Amino acid sequence: MKRVGLIVTIAATTGVIGCTSMTPQQQGTVSGAAIGAAAGAGIAAIAGGSGWTGAAIGGVVGGVVGNIKGSKQQ
């Protein structure tokens, strides 16, 4: 689980650094995916499931929600 946390942290940090030239919709997608992946991995770990599966599902759901939210900010 520590490895999943490290990967999610690196991905989130890279996403934040790379967001300077993105549109609000792209920023929302990346941010939502990172937050969703972290939340999904955490929830899966607490529930006793696979952290990777939780991160993947959370990332997809978070990315979709972030994309929708970002498109409304334009």
Side-chain angles (χ1 to χ4, degrees):
M1 190 61 211
K2 289 182 182 181
R3 179 179 275 175
V4 173
L6 178 64
I7 291 170
V8 170
T9 302
I10 291 171
T13 303
T14 304
V16 169
I17 291 170
C19 284
T20 56
S21 64
M22 292 181 167
T23 67
Q25 185 173 15
Q26 291 169 332
Q27 288 177 353
T29 303
V30 171
S31 299
I35 293 168
I43 291 169
I46 291 170
S50 169
W52 290 107
T53 304
I57 294 169
V60 170
V61 172
V64 169
V65 172
N67 186 296
I68 293 169
K69 186 172 187 267
S71 68
K72 294 180 189 270
Q73 290 180 351
Q74 290 183 347

